[in-house]
Amino acid sequence: MTSTLGIKKIQHPNGTNIATLNSNGSIAFAGALTVNDPIQILNGSNVRAASSDADDLIVEGPVDCGISILSATTGRIYFGDAANDDAGSIRYVHTDDSMRFETNDVEAMRISSSGAVTVANGLTLTDGNLVVASGHGIDFSATSDATGMTSELFDDYEIGVYTPTVTGSTSGSYTVGDSATKLAYTKIGKMVHLQGQIHITGKSSPSGVVYISLPFASGNTTDLAERSAGSVIFDSANSSNGVSHNSGNFVNFMVSSNSSVGIFRSSEENTGAGSLNQSHLDTGDRFTIGITYMTF
Amino acid sequence: MALTEEKIQDKIEVVGNFKYVQVRTATVIKRDDAEISRSFSRHIVTPNISADDLAKESTEVQGIANSVWTDGIKTAYTKHLAEMAKEFS
């Protein structure tokens, strides 16, 4: 061991420098360093003892602590065993600023420079939810498309109930009650399914076509493509009563395009269709509907 | 253990050329301030709503409605309703 102005050097007997001990406390090794025991790099006081499963290299600092891997192209951490020296790896590739994770020598996940995550082989959540930001969803654009396709983004799902307002198209309204005041909805993408039973328990001078308010306005993209027909069953609290319409008529629940309401549409063989109005629906009447339509 | 119920308009959307204002109201049940259930209800506010009825909507809905419903929108919606009434009379 030699000493020159506070700098000490460790030399091999052949005169080759092995390490230099600098005055600031650092040690510079001239060659590779092999340590047969765990290494602890302690910056300040101990935080706690490391897990015995991972205590071969300990980097410890009282507040912030870290390891920097600085390179021009790729920084790597490899996980190997007797059979494979890089079975698993974590690497950061500076050429495209991606973080990559490999298992069994194959890339399993990549995080791009924009933060987009690509998973190579499925994703399973054992708990918790997959949370999608508003305006985003599941993109099916990788699948083949039918002519007329307008979107491949599944961007919404919602279930709920609402209390529809039952009104006359010209004026007035009906009262709903008797614990039959709500319709249930399920929205899957742009598709809305509506169902439930409503009891009419009163009215306030309804006039015109009977309107049932919708939870979502119906869409209006092209021609009348968003119009939809569903089913309705009428009955009455008074079994001798019931909705007034010709016995030969077929009545359906209809949602037109670009509309906030649905209507009861009556059709008769060899006769033009009509809509149920204040003369058809009265206090004591009940209706059960089911319809699927498209919203915006 | 305290159970509380809170109603929040957690989603207000403006859709379509008539600027329908779709309002989702969430009913949130909490136990000791921790949410244990959330259910939804909905309604649509349309450009032909009366001033009295609009005043019953939340301040936020009123603000949105008043900002998006131009006279042109209201006129177009009135025309749309008339056409619908004519077709489905």
Side-chain angles (χ1 to χ4, degrees):
Chain A
M1 184 177 294
T2 63
S3 175
T4 305
L5 297 176
I7 300 175
K8 295 184 177 180
K9 295 181 178 177
I10 302 172
Q11 293 183 329
H12 191 270
N14 66 10
T16 303
N17 280 341
I18 296 173
T20 301
L21 285 64
N22 298 310
S23 59
N24 62 3
S26 66
I27 303 174
F29 289 92
L33 175 65
T34 300
V35 180
N36 292 323
D37 282 313
I39 297 176
Q40 181 177 28
I41 301 171
L42 177 62
N43 179 15
S45 57
N46 284 103
V47 176
R48 60 161 297 149
S51 165
S52 60
D53 290 335
D55 61 354
D56 301 293
L57 173 59
I58 303 168
V59 180
E60 188 173 0
V63 185
D64 293 330
C65 183
I67 301 170
S68 292
I69 300 176
L70 308 177
S71 66
T73 55
T74 304
R76 297 177 173 88
I77 299 175
Y78 277 12
F79 304 88
D81 56 20
N84 190 339
D85 60 7
D86 63 348
S89 69
I90 302 170
R91 68 186 69 185
Y92 191 90
V93 180
H94 294 279
T95 50
D96 63 2
D97 280 316
S98 66
M99 180 70 86
R100 306 177 188 185
F101 300 82
E102 288 190 2
T103 57
N104 198 22
D105 264 339
V106 176
E107 183 170 313
M109 185 173 77
R110 180 182 297 196
I111 305 172
S112 75
S113 60
S114 67
V117 178
T118 301
V119 179
N121 188 22
L123 178 66
T124 302
L125 304 180
T126 58
D127 197 1
N129 301 317
L130 189 62
V131 179
V132 178
S134 179
H136 297 275
I138 303 173
D139 187 336
F140 289 95
S141 59
T143 59
S144 59
D145 308 325
T147 304
M149 182 275 293
T150 57
S151 174
E152 294 183 276
L153 188 68
F154 175 35
D155 63 355
D156 199 12
Y157 176 80
E158 181 181 325
I159 58 174
V161 295
Y162 78 108
T163 303
T165 57
V166 185
T167 58
S169 61
T170 304
S171 62
S173 62
Y174 293 88
T175 303
V176 299
D178 196 24
S179 297
T181 64
K182 297 182 186 304
L183 297 176
Y185 66 82
T186 302
K187 183 173 186 285
I188 305 171
K190 291 182 181 297
M191 193 72 73
V192 179
H193 180 75
L194 195 58
Q195 66 183 73
Q197 185 175 82
I198 295 295
H199 292 186
I200 302 298
T201 56
K203 60 182 179 179
S204 177
S205 306
S207 174
V209 173
V210 176
Y211 281 175
I212 313 297
S213 68
L214 302 173
F216 301 87
S218 57
N220 183 38
T221 55
T222 181
D223 293 338
L224 302 175
E226 274 91 353
R227 284 192 173 180
S228 183
S231 298
V232 60
I233 297 172
F234 286 101
D235 63 19
S236 174
N238 180 350
S239 59
S240 63
N241 195 358
V243 174
S244 306
H245 62 87
N246 294 334
S247 59
N249 287 8
F250 303 97
V251 181
N252 293 299
F253 187 66
M254 177 185 177
V255 171
S256 185
S257 52
N258 206 4
S259 180
S260 64
V261 297
I263 60 176
F264 300 113
R265 201 71 175 139
S266 168
S267 56
E268 186 177 7
E269 189 174 5
N270 298 323
T271 303
S275 301
L276 300 196
N277 56 37
Q278 76 284 344
S279 69
H280 302 106
L281 193 67
D282 205 351
T283 299
D285 287 342
R286 303 167 172 176
F287 57 87
T288 305
I289 63 170
I291 191 170
T292 301
Y293 67 96
M294 289 185 72
T295 186
F296 287 98
Chain B
M1 182 179 70
L3 285 176
T4 59
E5 178 181 307
E6 182 182 15
K7 288 187 182 295
I8 309 166
Q9 289 188 344
D10 68 340
K11 187 180 281 189
I12 301 175
E13 307 155 299
V14 177
V15 299
N17 54 324
F18 297 131
K19 310 297 183 187
Y20 293 115
V21 181
Q22 295 184 159
V23 183
R24 185 174 77 177
T25 302
T27 301
V28 181
I29 308 294
K30 292 182 178 177
R31 178 188 295 132
D32 296 334
D33 287 333
E35 182 173 326
I36 57 174
S37 92
R38 177 177 290 246
S39 58
F40 299 121
S41 180
R42 279 188 170 269
H43 71 285
I44 304 174
V45 186
T46 57
N48 67 331
I49 190 173
S50 69
D52 286 346
D53 285 342
L54 183 58
K56 296 172 187 171
E57 296 290 338
S58 68
T59 304
E60 190 174 4
V61 168
Q62 291 180 46
I64 292 170
N66 289 326
S67 68
V68 299
W69 292 342
T70 62
D71 288 343
I73 293 286
K74 292 177 180 176
T75 301
Y77 187 63
T78 300
K79 182 182 176 187
H80 170 72
L81 291 179
E83 290 171 350
M84 203 166 87
K86 183 179 178 182
E87 180 178 4
F88 297 118
S89 61

